[in-house]
Amino acid sequence: MGESQASLKSSQLLDEVLNFVESTSGLSSRISESGFVEILQAVDGKSFVFSSNTLDEVLARTDADGKNFIQINFESGIKVLFTENLVGFKPRETSGLDMSKIPKVVTTPDLLSVFEAIEESLSSELTPESEVEVLKKVFQSILMGGELAGFDLSFERRWIGRLVPPKIRASA
């Protein structure tokens, strides 16, 4: 494909993405002068950023409830889903984590849910340490998948470091 054809294809794919985002209530878009596209999620203020010339394919889809969404395939092989309110992405495979136990598509709000579950587990005397370790791996899987897809999750990355087991807190 020639350079002008590739540019035309990128432009058409970007139009499809932006038209979908415009039709949603929970997503908005901005395009920088350098050609980067930022999709902002109203629900948590997180931005998904990508370069418009990395788009490979945009597919219109409908979920089991009849709601429309789009699947965006990038040249790198990364795939994301844009729904009415969120950008969905694949969690990253993590050593020691049974990936069949977590959803195939996750979102940035899932990070907060898993983090809260970790905090709750740490404050309970009844939760086995192994369960906390599994939750930490789930958190890491979602975090790395989101960063790989195009989210800046440096703030969320610091959350795990702030967790202090209750036994340490009590002796401090």
Side-chain angles (χ1 to χ4, degrees):
M1 184 181 313
E3 201 171 308
S4 65
Q5 278 183 306
S7 172
L8 181 61
K9 179 186 175 195
S10 288
S11 178
Q12 289 171 332
L13 292 174
L14 181 59
D15 282 346
E16 286 182 54
V17 171
L18 296 176
N19 287 337
F20 179 83
V21 168
E22 205 172 280
S23 75
T24 69
S25 60
L27 300 176
S28 59
S29 63
R30 280 195 297 240
I31 303 175
S32 71
E33 289 180 24
S34 59
F36 280 91
V37 180
E38 178 183 22
I39 305 299
L40 186 70
Q41 299 177 150
V43 72
D44 64 0
K46 287 289 164 198
S47 295
F48 173 72
V49 179
F50 64 93
S51 173
S52 57
N53 61 9
T54 61
L55 293 169
D56 185 44
E57 194 174 21
V58 177
L59 306 166
R61 302 271 195 232
T62 306
D63 70 13
D65 297 328
K67 294 190 184 343
N68 294 327
F69 67 95
I70 57 174
Q71 175 181 320
I72 302 168
N73 299 340
F74 292 92
E75 291 173 346
S76 65
I78 301 270
K79 296 176 183 184
V80 296
L81 305 178
F82 284 14
T83 67
E84 181 68 25
N85 296 302
L86 295 164
V87 176
F89 52 90
K90 186 177 180 176
R92 180 134 187 224
E93 286 215 21
T94 302
S95 176
L97 179 62
D98 181 356
M99 297 304 288
S100 69
K101 301 267 192 249
I102 61 176
K104 290 187 186 329
V105 177
V106 292
T107 61
T108 53
D110 292 329
L111 282 169
L112 181 59
S113 299
V114 174
F115 183 76
E116 288 172 343
I118 293 169
E119 282 186 316
E120 197 173 297
S121 295
L122 283 172
S123 65
S124 168
E125 295 295 321
L126 303 174
T127 306
E129 184 68 27
S130 59
E131 186 177 315
V132 173
E133 289 309 309
V134 168
L135 287 169
K136 285 181 180 179
K137 286 179 182 183
V138 170
F139 184 88
Q140 280 298 118
S141 174
I142 297 169
L143 182 83
M144 292 186 306
E147 288 177 335
L148 191 64
F151 280 98
D152 174 6
L153 300 173
S154 51
F155 181 75
E156 288 78 2
R157 183 172 280 287
R158 292 191 296 265
W159 289 355
I160 289 290
R162 292 193 185 119
L163 286 176
V164 179
K167 294 174 189 96
I168 294 172
R169 238 184 284 145
S171 64

